[in-house]
Amino acid sequence: MKYYRMQQILLDPHPYAPAVLDRIFADLSGVGCNSILLEYHATFPYQGILSSAVRSNAYTREEINAIVCSAAAYGIEIIPKGFSFTHAKQLVKLEKFQYLADGESLNLALNENIELMLESSRELLLAHPGCRLIHLGGDEMFGFGRTPESCTALMKEGFSSMYVDFVNAIAAGLKSEGVRIAIWSDTLIRYPQALEKLDKSIVMFYWDYWAMGEESAFLSIGGGCPDIFVLDRSGVPRDLNKMFRNPVIRNAGELPLNHFERYHNYWRWSPGQKRARSFPYVEFLREFGLDVVSCFLPYTEKGSILSNYAEKLPHTAVAIRRNYEYDGIGFLCCLWQPYWPDWRAVWPAIATAFICGISQGKVQTYSELFNQAATILGDNWTAEALLSYFNIGNNFEFNDLVDIYWQESSPAERLRYIQRSGWREEELERLSDARTRSEDFLHLFPSAGNGFIRFIVSDLLIRAKAEERLLSQLSCHTIYDEFEYQGRLYREFCADFFHSGENLSLWLERYEPWLKHLSTITMTSA
């Protein structure tokens, strides 16, 4: 059976130009990638009932064909993903589909939604000849039971059974096409009561984005932030600890008893212990006879400009190693661009992850790993330069004051929050660290990386200086000019990278709020 060495590419809402995807496929093929989870969502040119939900910047049928042919030329299998039955806000906000909604997901109790997912899948199949696996999403379904149909089904059979019946029906509808379906794992880890009746042809994409290596100072039930229970806050790395200040992340004493009874043997954990086994659910899901793809992140999750890649090396290695240990069928290197770092900024970390994957996660020394990556990457990379680059974002989690996708706050609001929280001095220390690391990379390795790599390091440096001066109530007049220049450069870098002029849209998200703030505030001189 094929072992999937897979990369995720998200094309919605900012799709890449087809020619750019061709270059990405070539690079990925060179590091051993043999499959792509290609997430179209509303950028796929649906022609049936879903056509009204397609974005204006969607691909044409001819462009899809070119993308498929390009992947095939590099020996890469595409696993397509259209609309998900969860995270369906883009779909259910349309008047035509509102009656199918249960919160921001599709109503699992309606047969019309089974038919909708089948139609979506069949259109994807027509555009991807020879396709063997289609991903349906299904993650982070927190709001459900808000309709009469789903409420009745929940009272009768429970959520786990309703969820399993829904995906089983779709799997059955596609079996005649010779196609399997895949879903994210978190919902059925959180609600495993009906897992034994899940169709064994369904592939589980088990995602865990935070585990720290062989053991972690926290437990995760499912995948998302609301599923995390901290065992020892002092044992959580500095960047991750800052992220874990999120109020939905709880302490170990709040762990539900039924989850402890079901999973503690997989966690290799008992109350009072400060560490638990990482990536425990590969073993759990395999015991149900399910095929498992292990999904990890090669960067810290919330660094939106330039992330801390160094912290994720043990995470990557153990995720891959655990999958091999329990006879999983592959791994997926996730990248939720454009929400977090740009593909081009993460590519060195992605390449390193796939080199790690070729060795089945059995990393002897990271210097050896960096040497291999530097050779493959070219662009005058060295092992030393990669180590420096991977650490630039260290201690700079939430490195953009305008945290568009996570907190949707203005620079002024974020500054007030930092001041009121009592974290000002800590934040200033982080900013100083990031500024020093950025300057060191640019000065010590003047030829390492391409133009975009140099740009993104400079961009983080400017943002660090700006936040540092704002927290210290110093003038930012020169910073405004630097930001304006960086914004122009970014638009140029993105002009041919994204499909249908998305460089302007991304500029508005990443630069316009900063420029507006810097142009309107009254600063006092030092």
Side-chain angles (χ1 to χ4, degrees):
M1 177 186 254
K2 172 181 179 176
Y3 188 83
Y4 288 98
R5 296 189 297 274
M6 192 183 311
Q7 175 63 46
Q8 177 200 28
I9 298 179
L10 178 62
L11 300 171
D12 188 313
H14 305 295
Y16 298 125
V20 169
L21 285 172
D22 182 78
R23 296 199 298 271
I24 289 173
F25 295 160
D27 287 341
L28 285 168
S29 176
V31 293
C33 175
N34 61 18
S35 42
I36 302 283
L37 175 60
L38 205 55
E39 298 211 26
Y40 294 107
H41 302 182
T43 66
F44 183 80
Y46 288 103
Q47 295 177 342
I49 191 174
L50 289 166
S51 60
S52 59
V54 173
R55 290 187 183 276
S56 60
N57 64 352
Y59 296 107
T60 65
R61 287 279 170 162
E62 291 74 21
E63 287 173 326
I64 295 291
N65 184 60
I67 292 168
V68 171
C69 290
S70 173
Y74 294 109
I76 290 176
E77 177 184 351
I78 291 180
I79 291 88
K81 182 173 177 286
F83 285 108
S84 173
F85 62 89
T86 60
H87 288 298
K89 184 177 180 180
Q90 175 68 17
L91 186 62
V92 300
K93 72 179 182 180
L94 301 175
E95 185 177 357
K96 180 177 181 178
F97 299 106
Q98 285 176 359
Y99 79 103
L100 298 175
D102 189 7
E104 292 188 357
S105 299
L106 296 183
N107 186 342
L108 304 189
L110 294 180
N111 289 332
E112 293 98 317
N113 282 326
I114 295 171
E115 293 304 317
L116 192 68
M117 295 306 295
L118 285 172
E119 175 164 338
S120 169
S121 299
R122 286 168 181 145
E123 285 211 48
L124 290 170
L125 284 176
L126 286 173
H128 298 80
C131 176
R132 302 180 299 157
L133 182 64
I134 287 179
H135 205 296
L136 300 181
D139 61 316
E140 297 184 319
M141 191 172 184
F142 300 120
F144 48 83
R146 302 179 185 183
T147 70
E149 300 86 0
S150 61
C151 183
T152 300
L154 284 169
M155 289 189 291
K156 180 180 179 181
E157 54 185 327
F159 175 66
S160 182
S161 186
M162 181 173 70
Y163 186 99
V164 167
D165 288 345
F166 183 83
V167 295
N168 278 354
I170 300 169
L174 291 174
K175 276 188 178 174
S176 62
E177 314 273 358
V179 177
R180 303 174 72 183
I181 68 168
I183 58 173
W184 298 112
S185 64
D186 58 298
T187 302
L188 286 177
I189 291 173
R190 197 181 302 113
Y191 299 99
Q193 294 79 12
L195 192 58
E196 67 280 352
K197 69 174 184 174
L198 184 71
D199 188 321
K200 297 302 185 289
S201 72
I202 296 174
V203 179
M204 300 296 288
F205 275 52
Y206 163 44
W207 62 281
D208 181 335
Y209 295 157
W210 301 292
M212 293 156 45
E214 289 289 348
E215 293 184 323
S216 299
F218 48 88
L219 296 168
S220 175
I221 302 172
C225 287
D227 299 319
I228 288 178
F229 297 85
V230 179
L231 306 176
D232 176 21
R233 195 166 287 277
S234 67
V236 180
R238 188 177 176 194
D239 278 357
L240 199 57
N241 206 326
K242 187 173 181 184
M243 180 183 142
F244 279 8
R245 291 169 181 169
N246 189 314
V248 302
I249 291 172
R250 291 163 283 176
N251 293 324
E254 299 175 63
L255 183 72
L257 182 60
N258 61 328
H259 283 309
F260 170 76
E261 292 172 344
R262 186 181 297 271
Y263 294 129
H264 73 277
N265 287 332
Y266 301 100
W267 296 333
R268 312 287 197 269
W269 177 80
S270 298
Q273 293 179 337
K274 293 188 174 182
R275 301 188 72 81
R277 188 182 190 220
S278 297
F279 304 105
Y281 301 108
V282 184
E283 180 184 10
F284 171 72
L285 295 168
R286 290 292 295 134
E287 286 187 0
F288 279 89
L290 296 165
D291 284 333
V292 179
V293 172
S294 294
C295 311
F296 59 86
L297 274 183
Y299 57 97
T300 50
E301 186 177 6
K302 295 189 178 181
S304 62
I305 300 301
L306 179 57
S307 192
N308 174 5
Y309 305 126
E311 185 178 289
K312 302 312 289 276
L313 291 168
H315 164 88
T316 297
V318 175
I320 294 168
R321 190 158 68 243
R322 196 80 80 217
N323 192 269
Y324 275 99
E325 181 182 352
Y326 287 101
D327 297 319
I329 65 168
F331 65 80
L332 171 67
C333 181
C334 291
L335 175 63
W336 293 99
Q337 197 282 335
Y339 299 101
W340 307 320
D342 189 291
W343 167 274
R344 293 161 289 184
V346 188
W347 167 237
I350 291 171
T352 304
F354 275 92
I355 294 166
C356 182
I358 292 171
S359 68
Q360 300 184 14
K362 298 171 184 175
V363 178
Q364 298 301 317
T365 64
Y366 288 117
S367 60
E368 179 184 342
L369 191 63
F370 286 148
N371 275 318
Q372 293 180 51
T375 300
I376 289 173
L377 288 166
D379 286 329
N380 296 313
W381 281 109
T382 64
E384 294 77 15
L386 276 175
L387 179 61
S388 174
Y389 180 70
F390 279 22
N391 275 287
I392 289 171
N394 189 15
N395 297 336
F396 199 26
E397 192 63 61
F398 293 103
N399 60 17
D400 187 355
L401 267 182
V402 187
D403 197 0
I404 300 295
Y405 299 104
W406 288 98
Q407 291 185 297
E408 298 182 357
S409 55
S410 70
E413 289 169 331
R414 285 291 294 147
L415 288 166
R416 285 195 293 270
Y417 186 91
I418 291 168
Q419 297 280 13
R420 291 177 60 190
S421 67
W423 297 332
R424 177 180 175 275
E425 296 306 316
E426 177 188 331
E427 188 71 9
L428 284 169
E429 183 181 345
R430 290 173 182 273
L431 295 167
S432 176
D433 286 348
R435 181 167 45 77
T436 300
R437 292 172 190 270
S438 302
E439 292 169 341
D440 285 349
F441 176 81
L442 293 171
H443 295 150
L444 295 175
F445 307 102
S447 60
N450 56 30
F452 188 83
I453 292 290
R454 313 294 297 180
F455 161 80
I456 208 73
V457 175
S458 299
D459 200 73
L460 182 140
L461 174 58
I462 291 169
R463 290 167 190 268
K465 289 194 298 183
E467 185 180 341
E468 197 172 28
R469 295 187 72 80
L470 287 168
L471 282 172
S472 301
Q473 294 187 316
L474 300 175
S475 172
C476 287
H477 295 304
T478 58
I479 295 290
Y480 178 90
D481 294 336
E482 291 182 72
F483 250 111
E484 190 174 44
Y485 176 69
Q486 285 293 109
R488 290 200 304 270
L489 279 182
Y490 186 71
R491 288 178 64 170
E492 291 173 12
F493 272 117
C494 294
D496 299 320
F497 197 81
F498 292 98
H499 190 248
S500 302
E502 287 298 300
N503 56 320
L504 176 59
S505 175
L506 285 164
W507 176 86
L508 288 170
E509 292 171 353
R510 295 186 174 181
Y511 291 89
E512 196 270 343
W514 263 106
L515 291 170
K516 181 178 179 182
H517 181 68
L518 291 172
S519 68
T520 56
I521 58 175
T522 300
M523 287 292 167
T524 58
S525 298

PDB file of all heavy atoms in Angstrom, residues 456-480:
ATOM      1  N   ILE A 456      10.943  38.913   4.208  1.00  0.00           N
ATOM      2  CA  ILE A 456      10.070  38.550   5.323  1.00  0.00           C
ATOM      3  C   ILE A 456      10.787  38.715   6.654  1.00  0.00           C
ATOM      4  O   ILE A 456      10.188  39.070   7.673  1.00  0.00           O
ATOM      5  CB  ILE A 456       9.511  37.110   5.146  1.00  0.00           C
ATOM      6  CG1 ILE A 456       8.149  36.975   5.840  1.00  0.00           C
ATOM      7  CG2 ILE A 456      10.472  36.055   5.640  1.00  0.00           C
ATOM      8  CD1 ILE A 456       7.019  37.660   5.138  1.00  0.00           C
ATOM      9  N   VAL A 457      12.125  38.499   6.664  1.00  0.00           N
ATOM     10  CA  VAL A 457      12.894  38.756   7.883  1.00  0.00           C
ATOM     11  C   VAL A 457      12.914  40.252   8.175  1.00  0.00           C
ATOM     12  O   VAL A 457      12.730  40.682   9.318  1.00  0.00           O
ATOM     13  CB  VAL A 457      14.325  38.200   7.753  1.00  0.00           C
ATOM     14  CG1 VAL A 457      15.159  38.583   8.986  1.00  0.00           C
ATOM     15  CG2 VAL A 457      14.303  36.682   7.595  1.00  0.00           C
ATOM     16  N   SER A 458      13.113  41.053   7.148  1.00  0.00           N
ATOM     17  CA  SER A 458      13.084  42.511   7.317  1.00  0.00           C
ATOM     18  C   SER A 458      11.715  42.981   7.781  1.00  0.00           C
ATOM     19  O   SER A 458      11.601  43.920   8.590  1.00  0.00           O
ATOM     20  CB  SER A 458      13.450  43.203   6.004  1.00  0.00           C
ATOM     21  OG  SER A 458      14.756  42.855   5.597  1.00  0.00           O
ATOM     22  N   ASP A 459      10.670  42.328   7.289  1.00  0.00           N
ATOM     23  CA  ASP A 459       9.313  42.709   7.666  1.00  0.00           C
ATOM     24  C   ASP A 459       9.070  42.459   9.150  1.00  0.00           C
ATOM     25  O   ASP A 459       8.511  43.305   9.854  1.00  0.00           O
ATOM     26  CB  ASP A 459       8.313  41.916   6.819  1.00  0.00           C
ATOM     27  CG  ASP A 459       6.947  42.573   6.783  1.00  0.00           C
ATOM     28  OD1 ASP A 459       6.810  43.599   6.105  1.00  0.00           O
ATOM     29  OD2 ASP A 459       6.025  42.065   7.443  1.00  0.00           O
ATOM     30  N   LEU A 460       9.506  41.290   9.626  1.00  0.00           N
ATOM     31  CA  LEU A 460       9.352  41.007  11.053  1.00  0.00           C
ATOM     32  C   LEU A 460      10.165  41.999  11.882  1.00  0.00           C
ATOM     33  O   LEU A 460       9.710  42.478  12.927  1.00  0.00           O
ATOM     34  CB  LEU A 460       9.779  39.574  11.360  1.00  0.00           C
ATOM     35  CG  LEU A 460       9.616  39.151  12.827  1.00  0.00           C
ATOM     36  CD1 LEU A 460       9.110  37.721  12.929  1.00  0.00           C
ATOM     37  CD2 LEU A 460      10.939  39.271  13.582  1.00  0.00           C
ATOM     38  N   LEU A 461      11.354  42.338  11.403  1.00  0.00           N
ATOM     39  CA  LEU A 461      12.201  43.295  12.118  1.00  0.00           C
ATOM     40  C   LEU A 461      11.503  44.642  12.263  1.00  0.00           C
ATOM     41  O   LEU A 461      11.502  45.242  13.353  1.00  0.00           O
ATOM     42  CB  LEU A 461      13.528  43.447  11.366  1.00  0.00           C
ATOM     43  CG  LEU A 461      14.499  44.509  11.893  1.00  0.00           C
ATOM     44  CD1 LEU A 461      14.864  44.250  13.349  1.00  0.00           C
ATOM     45  CD2 LEU A 461      15.753  44.541  11.024  1.00  0.00           C
ATOM     46  N   ILE A 462      10.884  45.115  11.203  1.00  0.00           N
ATOM     47  CA  ILE A 462      10.186  46.405  11.257  1.00  0.00           C
ATOM     48  C   ILE A 462       9.000  46.342  12.207  1.00  0.00           C
ATOM     49  O   ILE A 462       8.754  47.269  12.993  1.00  0.00           O
ATOM     50  CB  ILE A 462       9.742  46.826   9.843  1.00  0.00           C
ATOM     51  CG1 ILE A 462      10.963  47.179   9.007  1.00  0.00           C
ATOM     52  CG2 ILE A 462       8.778  47.999   9.891  1.00  0.00           C
ATOM     53  CD1 ILE A 462      10.669  47.347   7.540  1.00  0.00           C
ATOM     54  N   ARG A 463       8.249  45.250  12.173  1.00  0.00           N
ATOM     55  CA  ARG A 463       7.105  45.123  13.073  1.00  0.00           C
ATOM     56  C   ARG A 463       7.555  45.060  14.526  1.00  0.00           C
ATOM     57  O   ARG A 463       6.895  45.610  15.417  1.00  0.00           O
ATOM     58  CB  ARG A 463       6.285  43.885  12.695  1.00  0.00           C
ATOM     59  CG  ARG A 463       5.542  44.050  11.378  1.00  0.00           C
ATOM     60  CD  ARG A 463       4.979  42.726  10.856  1.00  0.00           C
ATOM     61  NE  ARG A 463       4.484  42.902   9.499  1.00  0.00           N
ATOM     62  CZ  ARG A 463       3.236  43.216   9.181  1.00  0.00           C
ATOM     63  NH1 ARG A 463       2.335  43.375  10.136  1.00  0.00           N
ATOM     64  NH2 ARG A 463       2.872  43.363   7.924  1.00  0.00           N
ATOM     65  N   ALA A 464       8.661  44.378  14.775  1.00  0.00           N
ATOM     66  CA  ALA A 464       9.190  44.316  16.139  1.00  0.00           C
ATOM     67  C   ALA A 464       9.609  45.705  16.612  1.00  0.00           C
ATOM     68  O   ALA A 464       9.302  46.120  17.741  1.00  0.00           O
ATOM     69  CB  ALA A 464      10.376  43.350  16.190  1.00  0.00           C
ATOM     70  N   LYS A 465      10.300  46.450  15.746  1.00  0.00           N
ATOM     71  CA  LYS A 465      10.720  47.809  16.117  1.00  0.00           C
ATOM     72  C   LYS A 465       9.512  48.711  16.349  1.00  0.00           C
ATOM     73  O   LYS A 465       9.499  49.527  17.277  1.00  0.00           O
ATOM     74  CB  LYS A 465      11.617  48.389  15.026  1.00  0.00           C
ATOM     75  CG  LYS A 465      12.996  47.751  14.950  1.00  0.00           C
ATOM     76  CD  LYS A 465      13.962  48.574  14.102  1.00  0.00           C
ATOM     77  CE  LYS A 465      13.519  48.704  12.675  1.00  0.00           C
ATOM     78  NZ  LYS A 465      14.518  49.440  11.851  1.00  0.00           N
ATOM     79  N   ALA A 466       8.497  48.563  15.497  1.00  0.00           N
ATOM     80  CA  ALA A 466       7.309  49.407  15.637  1.00  0.00           C
ATOM     81  C   ALA A 466       6.597  49.140  16.949  1.00  0.00           C
ATOM     82  O   ALA A 466       6.251  50.078  17.691  1.00  0.00           O
ATOM     83  CB  ALA A 466       6.361  49.168  14.460  1.00  0.00           C
ATOM     84  N   GLU A 467       6.382  47.872  17.268  1.00  0.00           N
ATOM     85  CA  GLU A 467       5.684  47.557  18.519  1.00  0.00           C
ATOM     86  C   GLU A 467       6.519  47.990  19.717  1.00  0.00           C
ATOM     87  O   GLU A 467       5.988  48.494  20.714  1.00  0.00           O
ATOM     88  CB  GLU A 467       5.370  46.059  18.595  1.00  0.00           C
ATOM     89  CG  GLU A 467       4.537  45.702  19.812  1.00  0.00           C
ATOM     90  CD  GLU A 467       4.222  44.218  19.908  1.00  0.00           C
ATOM     91  OE1 GLU A 467       4.320  43.504  18.888  1.00  0.00           O
ATOM     92  OE2 GLU A 467       3.888  43.773  21.021  1.00  0.00           O
ATOM     93  N   GLU A 468       7.822  47.794  19.624  1.00  0.00           N
ATOM     94  CA  GLU A 468       8.719  48.193  20.710  1.00  0.00           C
ATOM     95  C   GLU A 468       8.611  49.695  20.973  1.00  0.00           C
ATOM     96  O   GLU A 468       8.523  50.141  22.124  1.00  0.00           O
ATOM     97  CB  GLU A 468      10.148  47.817  20.303  1.00  0.00           C
ATOM     98  CG  GLU A 468      11.153  47.786  21.434  1.00  0.00           C
ATOM     99  CD  GLU A 468      12.477  47.210  20.957  1.00  0.00           C
ATOM    100  OE1 GLU A 468      12.799  47.331  19.752  1.00  0.00           O
ATOM    101  OE2 GLU A 468      13.187  46.641  21.794  1.00  0.00           O
ATOM    102  N   ARG A 469       8.605  50.499  19.914  1.00  0.00           N
ATOM    103  CA  ARG A 469       8.520  51.942  20.074  1.00  0.00           C
ATOM    104  C   ARG A 469       7.128  52.366  20.559  1.00  0.00           C
ATOM    105  O   ARG A 469       6.993  53.297  21.367  1.00  0.00           O
ATOM    106  CB  ARG A 469       8.884  52.642  18.762  1.00  0.00           C
ATOM    107  CG  ARG A 469      10.337  52.416  18.346  1.00  0.00           C
ATOM    108  CD  ARG A 469      10.728  53.245  17.142  1.00  0.00           C
ATOM    109  NE  ARG A 469      10.862  54.663  17.475  1.00  0.00           N
ATOM    110  CZ  ARG A 469      11.915  55.211  18.065  1.00  0.00           C
ATOM    111  NH1 ARG A 469      12.950  54.451  18.406  1.00  0.00           N
ATOM    112  NH2 ARG A 469      11.950  56.505  18.311  1.00  0.00           N
ATOM    113  N   LEU A 470       6.101  51.685  20.080  1.00  0.00           N
ATOM    114  CA  LEU A 470       4.749  52.021  20.529  1.00  0.00           C
ATOM    115  C   LEU A 470       4.579  51.740  22.016  1.00  0.00           C
ATOM    116  O   LEU A 470       3.998  52.552  22.750  1.00  0.00           O
ATOM    117  CB  LEU A 470       3.721  51.219  19.724  1.00  0.00           C
ATOM    118  CG  LEU A 470       3.513  51.657  18.274  1.00  0.00           C
ATOM    119  CD1 LEU A 470       2.712  50.611  17.516  1.00  0.00           C
ATOM    120  CD2 LEU A 470       2.823  53.014  18.216  1.00  0.00           C
ATOM    121  N   LEU A 471       5.096  50.605  22.486  1.00  0.00           N
ATOM    122  CA  LEU A 471       4.996  50.268  23.911  1.00  0.00           C
ATOM    123  C   LEU A 471       5.820  51.221  24.767  1.00  0.00           C
ATOM    124  O   LEU A 471       5.510  51.433  25.940  1.00  0.00           O
ATOM    125  CB  LEU A 471       5.449  48.824  24.140  1.00  0.00           C
ATOM    126  CG  LEU A 471       4.448  47.730  23.781  1.00  0.00           C
ATOM    127  CD1 LEU A 471       5.093  46.356  23.871  1.00  0.00           C
ATOM    128  CD2 LEU A 471       3.219  47.786  24.680  1.00  0.00           C
ATOM    129  N   SER A 472       6.881  51.771  24.173  1.00  0.00           N
ATOM    130  CA  SER A 472       7.757  52.684  24.912  1.00  0.00           C
ATOM    131  C   SER A 472       7.375  54.144  24.700  1.00  0.00           C
ATOM    132  O   SER A 472       8.073  55.039  25.177  1.00  0.00           O
ATOM    133  CB  SER A 472       9.211  52.459  24.482  1.00  0.00           C
ATOM    134  OG  SER A 472       9.605  51.125  24.712  1.00  0.00           O
ATOM    135  N   GLN A 473       6.276  54.376  23.947  1.00  0.00           N
ATOM    136  CA  GLN A 473       5.772  55.724  23.663  1.00  0.00           C
ATOM    137  C   GLN A 473       6.837  56.602  22.998  1.00  0.00           C
ATOM    138  O   GLN A 473       7.054  57.758  23.373  1.00  0.00           O
ATOM    139  CB  GLN A 473       5.249  56.385  24.937  1.00  0.00           C
ATOM    140  CG  GLN A 473       4.016  55.674  25.504  1.00  0.00           C
ATOM    141  CD  GLN A 473       3.404  56.424  26.669  1.00  0.00           C
ATOM    142  OE1 GLN A 473       4.099  56.898  27.560  1.00  0.00           O
ATOM    143  NE2 GLN A 473       2.096  56.548  26.657  1.00  0.00           N
ATOM    144  N   LEU A 474       7.496  56.018  21.999  1.00  0.00           N
ATOM    145  CA  LEU A 474       8.494  56.738  21.216  1.00  0.00           C
ATOM    146  C   LEU A 474       7.945  57.040  19.827  1.00  0.00           C
ATOM    147  O   LEU A 474       7.021  56.387  19.357  1.00  0.00           O
ATOM    148  CB  LEU A 474       9.782  55.907  21.101  1.00  0.00           C
ATOM    149  CG  LEU A 474      10.472  55.544  22.423  1.00  0.00           C
ATOM    150  CD1 LEU A 474      11.658  54.627  22.159  1.00  0.00           C
ATOM    151  CD2 LEU A 474      10.923  56.804  23.160  1.00  0.00           C
ATOM    152  N   SER A 475       8.536  58.003  19.177  1.00  0.00           N
ATOM    153  CA  SER A 475       8.087  58.400  17.853  1.00  0.00           C
ATOM    154  C   SER A 475       8.257  57.274  16.845  1.00  0.00           C
ATOM    155  O   SER A 475       9.239  56.524  16.873  1.00  0.00           O
ATOM    156  CB  SER A 475       8.873  59.625  17.382  1.00  0.00           C
ATOM    157  OG  SER A 475       8.577  59.912  16.033  1.00  0.00           O
ATOM    158  N   CYS A 476       7.278  57.148  15.933  1.00  0.00           N
ATOM    159  CA  CYS A 476       7.315  56.110  14.906  1.00  0.00           C
ATOM    160  C   CYS A 476       7.262  56.694  13.499  1.00  0.00           C
ATOM    161  O   CYS A 476       6.858  56.011  12.560  1.00  0.00           O
ATOM    162  CB  CYS A 476       6.146  55.136  15.089  1.00  0.00           C
ATOM    163  SG  CYS A 476       6.322  54.036  16.483  1.00  0.00           S
ATOM    164  N   HIS A 477       7.676  57.954  13.350  1.00  0.00           N
ATOM    165  CA  HIS A 477       7.557  58.586  12.032  1.00  0.00           C
ATOM    166  C   HIS A 477       8.368  57.852  10.976  1.00  0.00           C
ATOM    167  O   HIS A 477       7.898  57.627   9.858  1.00  0.00           O
ATOM    168  CB  HIS A 477       7.983  60.058  12.115  1.00  0.00           C
ATOM    169  CG  HIS A 477       7.074  60.883  12.972  1.00  0.00           C
ATOM    170  ND1 HIS A 477       5.709  60.955  12.740  1.00  0.00           N
ATOM    171  CD2 HIS A 477       7.320  61.647  14.069  1.00  0.00           C
ATOM    172  CE1 HIS A 477       5.158  61.740  13.662  1.00  0.00           C
ATOM    173  NE2 HIS A 477       6.115  62.169  14.475  1.00  0.00           N
ATOM    174  N   THR A 478       9.593  57.470  11.298  1.00  0.00           N
ATOM    175  CA  THR A 478      10.411  56.757  10.309  1.00  0.00           C
ATOM    176  C   THR A 478       9.892  55.341  10.094  1.00  0.00           C
ATOM    177  O   THR A 478      10.022  54.795   9.004  1.00  0.00           O
ATOM    178  CB  THR A 478      11.875  56.699  10.753  1.00  0.00           C
ATOM    179  OG1 THR A 478      11.965  56.051  12.030  1.00  0.00           O
ATOM    180  CG2 THR A 478      12.479  58.106  10.852  1.00  0.00           C
ATOM    181  N   ILE A 479       9.304  54.747  11.134  1.00  0.00           N
ATOM    182  CA  ILE A 479       8.742  53.405  11.014  1.00  0.00           C
ATOM    183  C   ILE A 479       7.606  53.405   9.994  1.00  0.00           C
ATOM    184  O   ILE A 479       7.453  52.466   9.205  1.00  0.00           O
ATOM    185  CB  ILE A 479       8.223  52.899  12.377  1.00  0.00           C
ATOM    186  CG1 ILE A 479       9.384  52.739  13.359  1.00  0.00           C
ATOM    187  CG2 ILE A 479       7.476  51.587  12.228  1.00  0.00           C
ATOM    188  CD1 ILE A 479      10.326  51.603  13.061  1.00  0.00           C
ATOM    189  N   TYR A 480       6.802  54.487   9.989  1.00  0.00           N
ATOM    190  CA  TYR A 480       5.710  54.571   9.011  1.00  0.00           C
ATOM    191  C   TYR A 480       6.257  54.469   7.595  1.00  0.00           C
ATOM    192  O   TYR A 480       5.712  53.738   6.767  1.00  0.00           O
ATOM    193  CB  TYR A 480       4.939  55.883   9.178  1.00  0.00           C
ATOM    194  CG  TYR A 480       3.828  56.041   8.156  1.00  0.00           C
ATOM    195  CD1 TYR A 480       2.549  55.574   8.425  1.00  0.00           C
ATOM    196  CD2 TYR A 480       4.072  56.631   6.912  1.00  0.00           C
ATOM    197  CE1 TYR A 480       1.535  55.692   7.489  1.00  0.00           C
ATOM    198  CE2 TYR A 480       3.072  56.751   5.962  1.00  0.00           C
ATOM    199  CZ  TYR A 480       1.802  56.277   6.256  1.00  0.00           C
ATOM    200  OH  TYR A 480       0.810  56.386   5.323  1.00  0.00           O
TER     201      TYR A 480
END
